[in-house]
Amino acid sequence: MPDRLERRMRFPPDIRSIRLVRRIIHDVLADTADVGSAGVGGDVPDFVDDVVLLASELCENAVLHAGTAFDLAVVAGDDEVTVAVTDRGAGALELQLAEPRQRYGRAATHGRGLTLIARLATSWGTRHHADGQHTVWFTVARRSAPRVAVPETLVPAHERTWSAAEEARWLLHVPSSLARRLDPADLVRELAARLRDVVDATAVVVEVDRGDGSGARELARAGALTLEGAVPPGRSLDVPLPTTTGLHGTIRLVLREGADAVRARELTELIAGRIAITAESQFLQEVDQRRRAWTTYLVEASELLGQSLDLDMTVALVPQLVVPRLGTWCAVLLPEASRRLRLAAIAHADEDRLPELRAVLDPDAVPGPPPQLRDRLAAAHRGAAPSWFSEPEDGVAVALRTSGTSTGMLLVGRPAGRSHSPEDLLLIDDIARRAALAVHNARTVGEHVQVSQTLQAALLPRALPQVPQIDFAAEYLPASTGADVSGDFYDVVTVGPQQWLVTIGDVCGKGARAAARTGLVRDVLRALVREGRPLVRAIEMLNDVMVEAGDPQQFCTLAVVMLSRAEHEGWSAVTIDLVLAGHAQPVVIRDDGTAELIGRFGTALGLFEAVDLHCTRHLLAAGETLLLYTDGVTECRRGTEQFEEKRLLEAAAAASGTSAARLVATVREAVQRFAPGSCSDDIALLAVRVEP
């Protein structure tokens, strides 16, 4: 019998393997035990039971807690027996198996095998390998008399080999309950670890190429390559993954010296289909998540671009949406009236580089765009296809096009560390189309607003008359500064050397129809009064014109005043002839600090063929002021409360003795304080003051 007997065997992670381990260790140690105590057919020494017990505990830990295949090494010498059990370390599947043990309390009671080893073994320890393997070993000293040699023919050669069915089952079978709980990447790592165990490879690496230009990347790895990362010739084996999507992959095995490459390839091809399905599942999940993220991004971008119709704000928002998600920098160029492009907005992930980037992208800056970029911009501006450029940095130029017409250019620099992928280009093109539509809408609305404001200004006098000893002042506050044209207006026109026609009115509605009706009212009334018609008759004839238009929804309220300078009891005064056609009563602010409403109500114009109008005469002495206003003042609301005439009189009286402009400003400030920012109607104020 040799002085030293060593056995090394590998077992699958099956509870049946433990029973086989016990029998093998028992037989090996019995064969090397003392004949004096055991002999042929005698009893087994006590220490053999201890070794079998401790070895089975370690194998059980490998099966139940590590969940991997394990290696068993038994070394029996003259004085001691050493047993080592090596598992593959905790993988994804093992972590999932450990979770319910920890949740339901088994974590507090498992691991008693190490306690037994500490009590029964002569010495013991653990080793952790660089490739993730974990070894627990122990030594038990012999406790018997010196043994007598036994014929070597009695020592059995125990070898454990895996059957083809066991290999296939271990490679492919993952319980569905666990497979659903595992992340696809963890499941691929588990399958790679199993393949490494079965084919006895140094390392198994699964690589996939997503086809997005980023190249192949490692999806899972089991084992470790050499420190230098080099693979000896003839020991590397590549098996492609049988994928059906745009994903391409390879399983790379680094075999041990002398390994059976044919068997390794067959087993790898067997598991490649399962790995391909799992890798494709992860790939499709990531694609779906990425598409959901991009869809959300585009929806939010559309919402942000649609929230403002201001051209400058819309253009400034576009680079902020692009950087850094689609590129490290972004610029928007818009054409001027001369069709020459100008830099409208720019953004960079590194704000310190903005001045440098602006200097080479702004056509008006020095040195300006390089020749290559100018050519690319011209080409992209003429066509719909993206144009690539490499100066000043790599990027792509996309035309902002709506209705087949280019409304500007979008420049996007490449993302950090990579080029634009095909998916990036699709998203940039989508953002460009949305931005082009937003810019077009903002520009169209801006032109509409400009036209409307020009029309609104045309309905008001450019300047009020400059008359000695009579002070005119007016303010107009539209409820909206947008494209809506209001129906409120005021007018002051000289009729004679000492006569002035003062009008304030409110045409129902807004927009072009209201503007047209306002112009008609103002011009017809001017013409009739200048022809010398009395106020009441002139207003009646204006009503006839409005009724003939056949649009009762465009009625109008008017307060018409004829101012005449006169001498009254030796001092200068102004006579007021006042006609109210459905309009609010004006206010007279006396020199003594009091304020009162004057005038007699009449019928609004444009509703009925016959109107009831009354002309009243009043005297405006030196130091007194007449204030005319539209209903936007008295009907301004704060909740359910209105400003009303009482507050108007108080505000006007508080400005007694001041200039006409100061009176108008005081009343306007009082209305704005009453309902800051919430007045929904236009406000027109017109004051006439007789200077002391």
Side-chain angles (χ1 to χ4, degrees), residues 307-325:
Q307 286 179 358
S308 174
L309 291 175
D310 180 82
L311 180 60
D312 293 336
M313 186 176 297
T314 301
V315 173
L317 182 61
V318 174
Q320 305 300 326
L321 293 173
V322 174
V323 177
R325 183 163 291 189

Side-chain angles (χ1 to χ4, degrees), residues 74-397:
V74 181
V75 179
D78 289 337
D79 300 323
E80 61 184 16
V81 176
T82 301
V83 177
V85 177
T86 302
D87 60 52
R88 301 306 184 196
L93 181 59
E94 294 77 66
L95 296 177
Q96 289 290 338
L97 290 170
E99 181 181 349
R101 291 198 295 269
Q102 296 173 359
R103 184 182 305 168
Y104 298 113
R106 289 190 60 182
T109 59
H110 80 276
R112 292 180 178 176
L114 298 182
T115 303
L116 291 175
I117 291 173
R119 289 182 178 273
L120 300 180
T122 305
S123 60
W124 70 283
T126 62
R127 290 192 300 271
H128 295 269
H129 305 268
D131 60 358
Q133 298 187 67
H134 174 246
T135 300
V136 181
W137 62 270
F138 67 86
T139 299
V140 176
R142 292 179 178 272
R143 298 189 294 274
S144 60
R147 60 185 175 83
V148 178
V150 177
E152 189 172 352
T153 56
L154 298 179
V155 180
H158 295 283
E159 296 294 339
R160 177 69 171 105
T161 59
W162 291 25
S163 67
E166 287 177 329
E167 290 177 342
R169 182 179 183 278
W170 173 237
L171 279 176
L172 301 177
H173 178 67
V174 178
S176 58
S177 59
L178 292 177
R180 286 193 298 267
R181 290 162 52 189
L182 284 176
D183 182 84
D186 291 337
L187 183 55
V188 172
R189 281 192 287 271
E190 168 64 22
L191 296 174
R194 292 187 176 193
L195 179 62
R196 172 175 171 265
D197 290 344
V198 172
V199 302
D200 197 21
T202 303
V204 175
V205 180
V206 180
E207 295 181 342
V208 294
D209 186 348
R210 301 175 178 276
D212 56 2
S214 60
R217 68 181 183 91
E218 185 178 297
L219 180 61
R221 172 184 292 216
L225 299 174
T226 60
L227 294 179
E228 296 81 9
V231 179
R235 289 172 55 186
S236 177
L237 178 64
D238 290 345
V239 176
L241 294 178
T243 56
T244 58
T245 61
L247 186 72
H248 301 281
T250 303
I251 302 177
R252 174 168 296 174
L253 283 77
V254 181
L255 302 175
R256 298 184 189 275
E257 187 175 359
D260 187 349
V262 175
R263 172 176 172 272
R265 177 175 289 277
E266 291 176 349
L267 292 174
T268 304
E269 291 175 349
L270 179 65
I271 201 173
R274 179 65 183 269
I275 292 180
I277 293 174
T278 307
E280 286 182 325
S281 174
Q282 182 190 28
F283 172 69
L284 294 176
Q285 286 181 11
E286 292 179 356
V287 169
D288 183 63
Q289 291 174 357
R290 192 162 58 249
R291 286 177 178 173
R292 289 175 182 268
W294 285 125
T295 301
T296 303
Y297 165 69
L298 293 175
V299 169
E300 292 176 351
S302 295
E303 291 180 354
L304 290 173
L305 290 172
Q307 286 179 358
S308 174
L309 291 175
D310 180 82
L311 180 60
D312 293 336
M313 186 176 297
T314 301
V315 173
L317 182 61
V318 174
Q320 305 300 326
L321 293 173
V322 174
V323 177
R325 183 163 291 189
L326 297 176
T328 54
W329 60 267
C330 177
V332 178
L333 284 78
L334 297 180
E336 297 178 336
S338 61
R339 305 296 295 174
R340 184 173 180 269
L341 292 175
R342 64 177 178 86
L343 182 63
I346 188 172
H348 199 294
D350 183 3
E351 294 186 357
D352 294 336
R353 298 191 60 186
L354 270 177
E356 172 191 352
L357 185 63
R358 187 185 299 274
V360 294
L361 291 182
D362 190 350
D364 298 327
V366 177
Q372 182 203 31
L373 180 57
R374 292 181 185 272
D375 296 340
R376 299 299 187 189
L377 291 178
H381 194 52
R382 291 191 301 268
S387 181
W388 298 94
F389 57 86
S390 57
E391 293 183 87
E393 295 181 5
D394 291 346
V396 60

Side-chain angles (χ1 to χ4, degrees), residues 515-584:
R517 185 57 58 93
T518 299
L520 180 146
V521 169
R522 189 190 66 170
D523 294 341
V524 169
L525 186 60
R526 276 185 175 188
L528 292 174
V529 172
R530 282 177 170 173
E531 286 182 357
R533 306 295 176 92
L535 284 184
V536 173
R537 181 56 186 158
I539 297 173
E540 289 175 344
M541 296 178 68
L542 173 61
N543 181 70
D544 294 339
V545 174
M546 295 181 66
V547 170
E548 288 175 359
D551 190 358
Q553 294 183 352
Q554 290 290 303
F555 64 91
C556 174
T557 66
L558 275 181
V560 183
V561 177
M562 181 66 74
L563 297 180
S564 303
R565 195 195 301 272
E567 293 291 331
H568 181 72
E569 298 180 358
W571 47 273
S572 178
V574 173
T575 301
I576 299 174
D577 292 321
L578 172 63
V579 179
L580 298 178
H583 204 81

